[in-house]
Amino acid sequence: MVANSRFSPNSRLNVGVVGATGLVGSMMRELLAEREFPVARLRLFASQRSAGRPVPWRGATIPVEDAATADFTGLDIVFFSAGGATSKALAPKVAAAGAIVIDNSSAWRGDAQVPLVVAEVNWHALADIPKGIVANPNCTTMAAMPVLKPLHDAAGLKRLVTSTYQAVSGAGVEGIDILSRQLAAVGDRASVFARNGKPDFLPAPQKWAVPMAHNVVPLNYVLGEDDYTEEELKLRDETRKILEIPALPVSATCVRVPVFTGHSLSINAEFERAISPSHALALLRNAPGVEIRDVPNPLEASGADPVFVGRVRRDPTVEHGLALFVVGDNLRKGAALNAVQIAEVLSSRA
């Protein structure tokens, strides 16, 4: 699976991670070691407040550099997981210094000159990287793509309706801390909570419009076009780009749930041609990065590389429709793992 001839097969590469002290950046570093990526030298970057901090790597430590003032010369691949504003400001500078940037933010996903890649789905898009930047999809989109791609190839995806159940770790360490504090505040007073959804002991809402503990939040971030949230529009636009169906009708409702890690999607997919549940399952059994489960769930998906799919059944509301349930680890496959897999393709190792 060689998509770009920039690097010699199995050559050792100088690698950087921007946002190296965050949740996803830390996982990128772990996966580089776990998957034995051919790193000649690793450099780590973060904000000024983290500069100088020692970070463990293969039995030694690496000091974190200030991303804003660093010289990126000599790097081959640089992973970005530091937010859209940082990526917009620094990714072109890093690419101009000679590296290929693999960006985990939303900054470049909509750029026609930046490939948006799920490693198992459209690695061929890496053959042309005009700006030296590759975009990682949103973690929710990421879970759906390895499942929808083989079904689309077989029957032609015509319409997509999905509701998501997104873990709080999608909002980083802050999301985990908020849910932890709210759960602790309820503690063993569940019987009180069950009778009164507004107890005095529950902390005030943070980050989301209503409390997260023992709740679901159907307004996930800010509203955009036609009263869909930015998260819902990302799912629509990124699905269209990755599957190369620019006019695909997509309706998404993205919901934040009190789960620490693991994004879930309930999907109703309409196809151009007939496809039975048994045929779909046969395709999915052979799909890379996909495993079938009777009860796909976030607890099982957390810490796992594949996405899990189950509850595959006919959707009787349309002529050629399937209903299914998909779950993936939003930090691993949803972010860090896919970025490393992209680097593996670029380095001719996949």
Side-chain angles (χ1 to χ4, degrees), residues 168-192:
V168 296
S169 59
V173 174
E174 181 186 11
I176 294 172
D177 289 345
I178 289 170
L179 178 57
S180 297
R181 289 195 298 270
Q182 291 180 358
L183 289 172
V186 175
D188 61 0
R189 293 174 284 189
S191 59
V192 176

Side-chain angles (χ1 to χ4, degrees), residues 149-228:
K149 172 63 172 173
L151 304 181
H152 168 57
D153 287 347
L157 186 61
K158 181 178 178 181
R159 184 174 73 104
L160 183 66
V161 178
T162 182
S163 293
T164 73
Y165 309 85
Q166 296 178 219
V168 296
S169 59
V173 174
E174 181 186 11
I176 294 172
D177 289 345
I178 289 170
L179 178 57
S180 297
R181 289 195 298 270
Q182 291 180 358
L183 289 172
V186 175
D188 61 0
R189 293 174 284 189
S191 59
V192 176
F193 199 78
R195 294 193 303 270
N196 177 8
K198 301 176 183 176
D200 294 338
F201 52 78
L202 190 67
Q206 290 178 270
K207 196 169 185 67
W208 298 285
V210 295
M212 180 57 65
H214 306 288
N215 207 6
V216 297
V217 185
L219 184 59
N220 195 0
Y221 301 120
V222 301
L223 292 173
E225 176 188 330
D226 295 331
D227 281 341
Y228 281 82

